[in-house]
Amino acid sequence: MMPNILIIGACGQIGSELTIALRDKYGNDAVIASDIREGSQELMESGPFEILDATDSKAIAHVVEKHNISDVYLMAAMLSAVAEKNPLKAWDLNMNSLLHVLNLARDKKINKIFWPSSIAVFGPTTPKNNTPQRTIMEPSTVYGISKQAGERWCEYYFNRYSVDVRSIRYPGLISYKTLPGGGTTDYAVDIYHKAITDGTYTSFLNKGTFLPMMYMDDAINATINIMDADTKDIKIRSSYNLSGISFAPEDVASSIQNHISDFTLTFNPDFRQDIADTWPNSVNDTDAQNDWGWSSKISLDEMTEIMLKNLKSYYKKESL
């Protein structure tokens, strides 16, 4: 049977592109986008949209019933840097929105859930290189604490109530289609914008700060693939490690300089450096590869070429 899909948080960095990809796959009318605010023209015009507060359980239940929803993708969250400034608000959004959706599945109102976790679940005591799927997890940020708690709730609801919930730990995500959303890895989006508009960029992370990253197309494909996988193949019900490419700010700068030779990079670390220092340099995603066939496709240089080409076109149109 074709799913009826609700995306909560559809206007964010991931949700906006996931919405379009799912509409391309299942048809525009089968994918209901929702957020607390309206999104881009493309998103709003391509299919149904509902204004929806992810912390309002009754409103979510109403939309689920109204559209006969089978699958929910819960993409709403307050990201790492913003969450540090609003810890209780971040906990409320990140935690209660998940429990609302898990309870709908427990009560058989929906069939399947996708909920994203993050490399933020790891902490300063986690092995930094090739971080394994199962390891020490002592997050030191509000965002990471909420994601680790969410993983435990997902696994609990699967074990206790047989809720079909699926999750991946996103690395830093990079796309030309949406602006940075308040994450510690967002320098890797902003640097491409500044390369075109200013010819220089000041990184809020220090030289040598390696973090797991991924181009958005790979992340969208992983999200759809794990939801398409047979239930028997999903062996981890907390969240899967997901790996793409790992690099430091100077690596991005070097890649950009292959296209913009006079681009310059300087460093002025801020509070986000302390967050980045608690995260892995790279992660091991062997379980995702073996269980449901995951593999990343896009390299740093390929990503740079895509980002610069599309952002140059965007800024050219903006200047007309």
Side-chain angles (χ1 to χ4, degrees), residues 4 6 29 32-33 48-52 58-70 109-110:
N4 284 335
L6 172 64
D29 292 340
I32 314 302
F49 182 85
E50 295 274 359
I51 293 290
L52 185 60
K58 291 182 179 178
I60 296 173
H62 172 73
V63 171
V64 163
E65 183 177 6
K66 176 182 175 181
H67 294 282
N68 193 28
I69 297 298
S70 61
K109 302 292 178 63
I110 56 176

Side-chain angles (χ1 to χ4, degrees), residues 72-283:
V72 172
Y73 292 70
L74 176 55
M75 312 308 294
M78 190 177 294
L79 301 182
S80 57
V82 178
E84 288 304 295
K85 299 175 182 179
N86 302 279
L88 295 182
K89 187 174 181 181
W91 176 263
D92 181 37
L93 173 59
N94 296 356
M95 202 80 277
N96 288 327
S97 60
L98 172 60
L99 290 170
H100 296 333
V101 174
L102 287 171
N103 286 335
L104 285 172
R106 178 199 62 191
D107 297 340
K108 311 302 181 186
K109 302 292 178 63
I110 56 176
N111 300 331
K112 190 159 51 172
I113 299 166
F114 176 82
W115 175 79
S117 189
S118 164
I119 58 170
V121 297
F122 302 119
T125 55
T126 300
K128 298 279 287 184
N129 296 313
N130 202 32
T131 302
Q133 173 68 44
R134 297 165 183 85
T135 187
I136 299 167
M137 295 165 62
E138 295 180 331
S140 57
T141 65
V142 175
Y143 182 59
I145 291 166
S146 69
K147 287 299 184 182
Q148 189 191 35
E151 288 191 14
R152 303 276 66 79
W153 278 118
C154 287
E155 189 171 61
Y156 177 83
Y157 269 71
F158 172 75
N159 290 330
R160 180 70 175 81
Y161 305 114
S162 300
V163 166
D164 189 354
V165 57
R166 304 168 184 213
S167 178
I168 50 183
R169 294 171 181 154
Y170 285 130
L173 299 179
I174 301 165
S175 171
Y176 65 87
K177 293 184 179 179
T178 51
L179 293 172
T184 300
T185 57
D186 278 349
Y187 86 85
V189 178
D190 198 30
I191 191 171
Y192 289 107
H193 286 266
K194 293 298 194 299
I196 293 168
T197 60
D198 300 351
T200 186
Y201 180 69
T202 300
S203 173
F204 56 75
L205 297 184
N206 221 337
K207 185 176 182 179
T209 304
F210 284 84
L211 289 171
M213 299 283 191
M214 181 173 289
Y215 185 60
M216 183 64 77
D217 284 5
D218 271 349
I220 297 301
N221 287 336
T223 303
I224 293 174
N225 289 346
I226 193 173
M227 286 293 275
D228 283 348
D230 288 342
T231 301
K232 63 179 175 57
D233 293 331
I234 307 302
K235 298 179 173 64
I236 294 170
R237 294 294 181 157
S238 54
S239 192
Y240 279 93
N241 276 3
L242 200 69
S243 180
I245 42 183
S246 290
F247 53 74
E250 63 270 24
D251 297 321
V252 189
S254 178
S255 186
I256 290 172
Q257 287 162 352
N258 291 329
H259 302 267
I260 304 173
S261 59
D262 58 350
F263 173 73
T264 59
L265 174 67
T266 58
F267 299 91
N268 185 24
D270 65 14
F271 73 99
R272 288 167 285 195
Q273 183 66 48
D274 293 334
I275 298 174
D277 286 342
T278 71
W279 292 354
N281 298 330
S282 59
V283 298

